[in-house]
Amino acid sequence: MFTSMNIGGYKSIYQKQDPNDEASSIGCTNTAHLYFHDGDPSTEEKIQKTDSCKNNPGFYSLNVGSDVATAKIAEIIEGNIKSFLKKNPECKCVNVKFHSFDNDSPARASEIKEIVIKKFADTDIEIKPVDKKTSYESLKNSRFRNRMIHYVGELNKKNNLRYEDEFLSSNGADRKAGNFKNLCEENRKIYKIYQDVLSKGIEGMRQKIEEDGSIAYIYEGKDLSGALNKLIAHDPFVLDCALFVNLCMTLSLRDELGDERFNELLSSKLGGKFSLDASNVNKLLEEIGLKIAVKSVNQINKGDILYIEAVNARVFHPAATMNSHNLICIGKNPAADHQLMFQGFERTEPSTLADLKEFIVTLAKCNLTYADLLTMHSNSKFDDVLEGEEFSCKQAWEEIVNKNGREVVSNELDFIKDRDMRGIYDDSRIEMPDVLIFPDMNVVGVMEI
């Protein structure tokens, strides 16, 4: 059960004490929340006060466990109201809304309501209680989604998080690729240094590159929560958009469970070994009654995960990190006709689906990077068409040569031999043939929690 209080009056903006400055007040709306986590063993005896203009504008928010006495809760509500009214004496009516779950919450709410009304019976303050039943599972799901969206914003503010191309090129001084084979070898050496430093700095944590080229982080130990904190702070922390979304989900799960229970779950559910992938995250989510499920593209809601990719991307820009995107729907934007907005691992503003389509098509039209050129040249003998693509690597290379001329292509391949790897992801002079540019994107799938 949680209780929210709406303070009525002739204005909607009031004042509360600035949590960072005792001598100052800040503007706030007239809503406060009291959350009762009945039946949640991680919060049975917890009383946690928080203050945030964004998440609980008004008095302050309370998370109160199921073992906290009814009288204590009523006392907290009373103090909450009195503190607010002291700063806003023109407000004469308090609406106390009790959101009860299908357990013992309604009975507790009734007792609290009676106590609070009596406390203000001899004053000029009118207490208006309102009863409303809600689903605890629905609240838990909503809370989890909101935390995911919070982490999308917070993690994107961290400059130590790097995409692979940025990481590799920044460590490419005095390293020459020359050809695709050497490029792979130099990349492996750069990653080896990173992996050694990471393992020494974070006990139990290691990073590896899978056979398909994807990045993986594996932890073995007893303090996954602490290891994640160190991983997020590690400079650099190399990841891709899929890992970014998995990280947002994992951190949200930890917040829901608390550090102790989160670490215990690692041991009991995963045998003390955790990989930052969708499979492991899903196993942990199931423990609290949540899971990752596939849904229709036409039913996207706030907190859902969207996966999109450019058509033919793996053929014509095989070394690019932005060919596909894992994104989290962060809600609707009133300023954009209430269109759904999406954001993943990117330091740009959230985008609509129309914006994402334009971005992907624009990216497809860019010249090949030198890394693309070396990779395409190496793959040019393969004439199998990859799933989801329209051209084989051999066909794509022939189109590249026809568009730019064999001499220009050869000169660019020679040019990269003498450059160090800091420029390996720079655009070459090789232009994209129009035939390879598909003016759309694949919406591969939508997942919901």
Side-chain angles (χ1 to χ4, degrees):
M1 177 187 69
F2 69 87
T3 308
S4 69
M5 289 166 283
N6 301 312
I7 305 300
Y10 68 87
K11 64 178 184 177
S12 59
I13 302 298
Y14 298 95
Q15 295 291 315
K16 69 174 178 179
Q17 180 179 306
D18 186 338
N20 300 313
D21 184 358
E22 293 184 0
S24 301
S25 294
I26 56 176
C28 64
T29 61
N30 56 11
T31 303
H33 296 279
L34 179 63
Y35 296 87
F36 286 76
H37 298 284
D38 288 9
D40 186 342
S42 67
T43 57
E44 286 177 355
E45 299 177 353
K46 183 169 74 172
I47 301 180
Q48 179 182 1
K49 182 190 295 187
T50 58
D51 196 334
S52 164
C53 289
K54 180 178 179 181
N55 294 326
N56 36 70
F59 314 85
Y60 49 73
S61 280
L62 291 167
N63 284 284
V64 182
S66 57
D67 285 358
V68 180
T70 297
K72 178 65 175 178
I73 298 169
E75 181 183 341
I76 293 171
I77 296 176
E78 178 191 4
N80 200 357
I81 295 173
K82 287 182 176 179
S83 176
F84 183 84
L85 293 175
K86 186 176 181 180
K87 287 187 175 295
N88 302 278
E90 74 280 7
C91 187
K92 302 298 181 184
C93 178
V94 179
N95 298 320
V96 184
K97 184 177 287 187
F98 295 88
H99 296 255
S100 303
F101 302 118
D102 296 327
N103 46 30
D104 64 342
S105 297
R108 297 181 74 203
S110 180
E111 294 178 28
I112 296 167
K113 185 193 315 178
E114 184 177 346
I115 296 172
V116 173
I117 291 175
K118 286 182 178 180
K119 291 288 185 181
F120 290 89
D122 297 328
T123 71
D124 60 350
I125 303 300
E126 182 181 7
I127 303 295
K128 290 185 176 180
V130 179
D131 293 314
K132 183 179 179 180
K133 279 195 174 185
T134 191
S135 163
Y136 181 71
E137 291 302 317
S138 175
L139 175 64
K140 182 168 60 176
N141 187 290
S142 176
R143 191 166 61 228
F144 184 87
R145 288 168 174 258
N146 286 334
R147 286 195 181 109
M148 282 178 58
I149 294 167
H150 165 77
Y151 278 116
V152 171
E154 290 302 304
L155 291 174
N156 272 312
K157 294 177 184 177
K158 299 178 72 64
N159 293 325
N160 61 305
L161 272 62
R162 309 280 179 84
Y163 264 115
E164 182 179 60
D165 54 357
E166 181 185 4
F167 164 70
L168 292 173
S169 59
S170 65
N171 287 276
D174 301 322
R175 296 178 181 274
K176 292 185 178 180
N179 55 49
F180 180 71
K181 181 178 179 181
N182 288 347
L183 173 63
C184 294
E185 179 62 21
E186 292 298 330
N187 285 347
R188 188 193 67 76
K189 291 177 182 178
I190 294 173
Y191 264 121
K192 181 64 169 62
I193 295 172
Y194 172 70
Q195 291 162 353
D196 289 345
V197 172
L198 183 78
S199 296
K200 290 178 181 178
I202 309 175
E203 184 178 356
M205 182 70 72
R206 59 190 175 92
Q207 189 258 18
K208 62 178 291 190
I209 303 299
E210 303 285 12
E211 290 185 6
D212 62 359
S214 61
I215 304 169
Y217 286 90
I218 300 97
Y219 173 77
E220 293 185 71
K222 297 181 179 180
D223 186 14
L224 176 57
S225 178
L228 288 174
N229 289 337
K230 292 179 181 178
L231 182 62
I232 293 168
H234 193 274
D235 192 6
F237 173 24
V238 186
L239 70 169
D240 55 31
C241 60
L243 282 172
F244 181 87
V245 170
N246 292 337
L247 181 60
C248 289
M249 287 193 288
T250 303
L251 294 175
S252 301
L253 176 64
R254 182 184 67 176
D255 288 355
E256 179 71 24
L257 296 171
D259 291 346
E260 184 176 346
R261 188 179 173 201
F262 178 72
N263 287 333
E264 289 175 353
L265 196 58
L266 169 65
S267 176
S268 62
K269 193 73 174 179
L270 299 176
K273 183 178 180 179
F274 175 78
S275 179
L276 191 58
D277 58 39
S279 175
N280 274 240
V281 173
N282 208 19
K283 289 178 182 177
L284 296 181
L285 285 174
E286 289 174 354
E287 194 69 14
I288 62 169
L290 299 177
K291 66 178 181 178
I292 302 172
V294 179
K295 67 185 300 187
S296 168
V297 175
N298 299 322
Q299 299 176 334
I300 300 176
N301 294 314
K302 178 180 177 181
D304 287 345
I305 301 164
L306 176 72
Y307 177 61
I308 60 174
E309 64 180 9
V311 180
N312 297 325
R314 289 176 294 171
V315 174
F316 59 73
H317 283 302
T321 57
M322 304 299 284
N323 290 328
S324 59
H325 299 264
N326 287 267
L327 305 155
I328 294 175
C329 179
I330 64 171
K332 296 181 178 180
N333 184 0
D337 298 325
H338 295 276
Q339 295 183 72
L340 292 170
M341 307 298 290
F342 300 87
Q343 189 170 19
F345 180 26
E346 51 201 338
R347 296 181 181 91
T348 58
E349 293 298 314
S351 304
T352 64
L353 277 176
D355 293 334
L356 290 167
K357 176 181 175 181
E358 181 179 354
F359 171 77
I360 280 182
V361 173
T362 300
L363 183 68
K365 294 179 180 179
C366 292
N367 285 12
L368 301 186
T369 65
Y370 286 103
D372 287 329
L373 182 61
L374 290 179
T375 308
M376 284 194 73
H377 183 242
S378 176
N379 293 340
S380 61
K381 58 182 175 292
F382 300 119
D383 44 12
D384 291 337
V385 178
L386 299 175
E387 183 179 355
E389 309 293 354
E390 297 186 338
F391 296 88
S392 69
C393 295
K394 184 177 181 179
Q395 290 172 320
W397 181 253
E398 291 171 352
E399 294 291 343
I400 289 290
V401 173
N402 291 337
K403 168 72 176 180
N404 295 273
R406 194 169 300 278
E407 183 178 354
V408 173
V409 173
S410 180
N411 288 341
E412 286 297 271
L413 287 170
D414 288 338
F415 175 73
I416 193 61
K417 291 179 181 178
D418 297 322
R419 299 188 69 191
D420 70 29
M421 287 180 55
R422 286 177 295 182
I424 196 67
Y425 288 98
D426 292 347
D427 287 343
S428 71
R429 292 190 298 150
I430 305 303
E431 298 178 357
M432 276 292 300
D434 292 338
V435 69
L436 295 183
I437 300 172
F438 196 82
D440 208 341
M441 63 181 182
N442 284 330
V443 178
V444 181
V446 180
M447 296 179 291
E448 66 176 345
I449 304 299

